[in-house]
Amino acid sequence: MIHFAFFCFCLTAVVTALSALRIVDKRLDCKQLGLDDCKISNCSEQRMVALREHAPTGPDWDPEHEQVGMDRHGLLPVINVTWRIKADASIRTLNGSEINIVEESTNQSVCVQFSYRIGQLLNPNDRRWTFSLEDVVVEPGYTYMVSIFNLPKPEIGDYTIRKQITIPGCGDKRIQKVQMCLENGSLWDPNMSVVIDKKPEMLSINVGFEATTYSERYQVSIQNSDFFYSKNVSKENRTSLNVTFEFDEWELSQCKMFIRIQPFFIRCKNHCWSPEKTIHYCPHHSQWRLILKTTLGLLVIGGCFVFLLWTTFHKDPLNTSSSAAKEPPEVFQLQERKRILIIYSLDHPLYKNIVLKLCAFLATKCGTEVVLDLLDSTRLGVLGSIQWLEWHKEKIESSSDKILILCSRGVQAKWRAMCGDKQVFLREDARSPVGDMLTPSLSLMVPHFIRSTSFKKYIVAYFEDVCSEEDIPSPFHVTVRYKLMKQFEEVYFRILDTEKHEPGKVKKIEGLSEDKYHQCPSSRALHDAIQAFRTYQQEHPHWFEDELLESSELEVEEDLDEICESLKTSTDLQTYCIHEPSCQSLEETRNWFYST
Ligand SMILES: *[C@@H]1O[C@H](CO)[C@@H](O)[C@H](O)[C@H]1NC(C)=O
Ligand SMILES: *[C@@H]1O[C@H](CO)[C@@H](O)[C@H](O)[C@H]1NC(C)=O
Ligand SMILES: *[C@@H]1O[C@H](CO)[C@@H](O)[C@H](O)[C@H]1NC(C)=O
Ligand SMILES: *[C@@H]1O[C@H](CO)[C@@H](O)[C@H](O)[C@H]1NC(C)=O
Ligand SMILES: *[C@@H]1O[C@H](CO)[C@@H](O)[C@H](O)[C@H]1NC(C)=O
Ligand SMILES: *[C@@H]1O[C@H](CO)[C@@H](O)[C@H](O)[C@H]1NC(C)=O
Ligand SMILES: *[C@@H]1O[C@H](CO)[C@@H](O)[C@H](O)[C@H]1NC(C)=O
Ligand SMILES: *[C@@H]1O[C@H](CO)[C@@H](O)[C@H](O)[C@H]1NC(C)=O
Ligand SMILES: *[C@@H]1O[C@H](CO)[C@@H](O)[C@H](O)[C@H]1NC(C)=O
């Protein structure tokens, strides 16, 4: 390596010395036809100076001669300086010419004298005498000042002619082939070829190119904004070279790549012109990307699907706790708990017990978060019934939570009352700290229920054993009415937002069927509560009438004003009453409320 560098240095030094301004093959004579005595010499300090009248006039340029070219060996860039002698009487005093060439940036110069004497005005060819200084070695890209005057020089005045010659660069055809330009890579045509080969997992890019005499080493590189690979290759005896890059296709994030071949010519060294080629490797690449993306996508979707299945499986606490009344497993708490708001009427203490046991069952066995006015009386007291209901309704509407409407005698009676029928006041409502919540609930929910095209939010149900189909207010006749506990499984699927019937299969949840649900403690309590009320009803056929209070017995409730307000604003309500046999105008209902 040291030897190589030293060799380069020497070669460069030699080349630089050779290219210095000078005259190659300097002939000592400039004889021409009709001119026997002509000599070329270095300029001397003592110039021949003559009086003005004894000095010849100045020369002029010969426009016909090409100035810039190669020397006769085709190795060096040279200029010829050619001038003519004016055919006038002063020719007799002419003793010669002096030519001075100065490179402008360095002040490097050559100076020669032509010494001759001319007897005739014109040469034997009857043309003006013409002299030429040939093969002055110059440097491409440099500028020279050429000045010529005839001898002897006049004492006063100046007949010097001057001309600036700028030598073109190696790109110029006239000097392109000179050695120093070849050594600068002027004639190198790499004829680069790129072959992309797709091997399994690997991408192979072969770069082939023509080498040239004057550059032994080449650096071939491939790059884009993500990577840079390079390989050095030496020419040795070959005329064409090739370099192969192999890399993983995944490294390519972009289609566009640049391939560059940097030669190291003697003259330009590390700054030589380096051909580049842009290649686009997209078709295969993007296909692979597509495949990758698709695969990843499928993996993600598959993962989600598996996760969903897992979630669904684990969300079903009944599967894991079917043997006994275990608390819902820990994993359940991490899932999004479904919330359900229960709307019901406090028909009877025994019915209230059923509702409470249902809540316990939903909460413990089904892992549902139950919202019940009775269980939230503190907040209800602070907010008031309408605000409390509205707050929950909004929460439920903005989520996948549900509203369970438990129909009973009281619900139907209160609905009819809203539509103008006889008002109902239940003992249990009077006893309850929250009072009648059903009427404000219905006034809020029914318009919304009717308006919403899907009744997804609302689950209408009734306890088959203690209530009947007739207890369901007419607005709810448009949707499915579930019988409890027979259809509790369906209700539970509704709460979970899952379809019981899916193509090809019917889902079942262990322990929720009517005959099984009471086998664990929380559901047994529910079962017992239903049976207790059922027995009571059988023993007291007029149980509902017994529960009714006369309006005189009724203490005016705080919330009543609110209920009236809600009815006032809910003008739509009237339209929902038309199905009621005893439907009166809403005005009457309102008036009744106001008069109370
Ligand atoms: C002219 O000068 C050059 C260097 O300036 C020298 O090498 C050469 O010998 C000289 N020629 C004559 C004839 O004196
Ligand atoms: C310089 O003059 C010589 C002799 O006349 C000639 O052979 C050569 O081609 C000329 N070079 C240029 C660049 O004109
Ligand atoms: C012309 O040159 C010759 C020889 O170089 C010299 O002897 C002679 O004196 C010169 N004539 C003049 C007028 O300078
Ligand atoms: C070249 O010579 C001229 C005149 O003698 C001078 O003004 C100039 O500074 C010189 N340039 C260099 C680069 O030496
Ligand atoms: C040599 O090549 C370099 C790089 O292309 C270029 O910049 C320089 O001008 C060339 N030299 C000549 C004398 O043309
Ligand atoms: C350039 O390469 C092509 C094929 O790679 C070849 O056919 C052609 O002759 C080459 N041209 C030169 C000037 O080397
Ligand atoms: C190739 O040569 C260049 C210039 O000499 C050098 O900087 C680089 O490190 C070399 N690269 C390799 C891969 O040898
Ligand atoms: C190059 O060629 C020379 C003679 O042509 C031969 O002696 C030498 O072994 C060759 N070198 C290589 C690397 O092929
Ligand atoms: C690449 O060069 C090697 C020799 O270095 C040669 O055997 C091979 O055929 C070349 N490949 C191409 C594609 O030109």
Side-chain angles (χ1 to χ4, degrees), residues 112-179:
V112 289
Q113 274 184 4
F114 277 53
S115 302
Y116 51 87
R117 290 196 70 87
I118 297 174
Q120 307 292 321
L121 278 179
L122 295 173
N123 70 12
N125 296 328
D126 277 346
R127 313 194 83 171
R128 285 168 65 180
W129 293 100
T130 300
F131 295 90
S132 210
L133 175 64
E134 286 159 14
D135 292 343
V136 181
V137 179
V138 289
E139 192 99 26
Y142 284 76
T143 299
Y144 299 87
M145 177 59 76
V146 181
S147 48
I148 305 172
F149 55 86
N150 284 338
L151 293 169
K153 234 186 155 184
E155 263 183 333
I156 306 154
D158 190 8
Y159 295 127
T160 310
I161 55 169
R162 294 183 179 84
K163 180 152 79 174
Q164 204 179 44
I165 301 177
T166 298
I167 315 302
C170 279
D172 192 284
K173 282 219 155 49
R174 291 171 292 178
I175 59 168
Q176 206 176 36
K177 290 196 177 78
V178 301
Q179 185 77 14

Side-chain angles (χ1 to χ4, degrees), residues 315 317-318 328 332 360-368 488 492 496 512:
K315 203 173 216 170
L318 301 168
F332 196 85
F361 179 68
L362 281 170
T364 57
K365 189 96 168 130
C366 308
T368 314
F488 182 78
Y492 185 55
L496 291 180
L512 280 198

Side-chain angles (χ1 to χ4, degrees), residues 1 217-220 228-233 262 264 270:
M1 192 65 204
R217 288 184 311 131
Y218 302 84
Q219 186 181 54
V220 185
F228 176 92
Y229 295 115
S230 80
K231 282 188 179 178
N232 289 341
V233 58
Q262 183 182 6
F264 297 91
N270 292 328

